[in-house]
Amino acid sequence: MDATTRFTTERVGALPVIGAYLEKLRLGDIVDEFVPWEGGVPLGTLVEVMVCNRLLNPKAQYKIAEWAARSRICEY
């Protein structure tokens, strides 16, 4: 490593823990199984993103997509 080496850091906070817990609960899978949905993004994924947002950084709902993109929580 020399003086020209650059690092990028990102703050993830509790996101990995919450993500692992939601996976353990199978929340997205359960929502997808029981709720009919024809959207481009699975409804279970949307529910998980909203739960993470409410717990980590509550914003107005119209800003959730921006938060998810910055947090890299969802690839959609």
Side-chain angles (χ1 to χ4, degrees):
M1 190 168 23
D2 57 23
T4 61
T5 303
R6 301 276 183 224
F7 293 95
T8 302
T9 59
E10 294 184 27
R11 190 171 155 204
V12 295
L15 183 57
V17 174
I18 293 171
Y21 189 66
L22 291 176
E23 232 177 77
K24 184 176 181 178
L25 290 176
R26 297 186 52 247
L27 177 65
D29 295 335
I30 292 169
V31 170
D32 288 339
E33 183 179 342
F34 290 103
V35 181
W37 177 255
E38 295 179 9
V41 177
L43 185 59
T45 300
L46 295 175
V47 169
E48 288 178 339
V49 168
M50 291 183 74
V51 168
C52 288
N53 178 261
R54 295 288 101 191
L55 293 173
L56 297 173
N57 189 18
K59 296 282 184 200
Q61 288 195 0
Y62 68 91
K63 292 186 177 184
I64 289 179
E66 295 169 16
W67 172 81
R70 272 194 327 273
S71 302
R72 297 185 185 177
I73 192 170
C74 188
E75 296 177 13
Y76 294 97

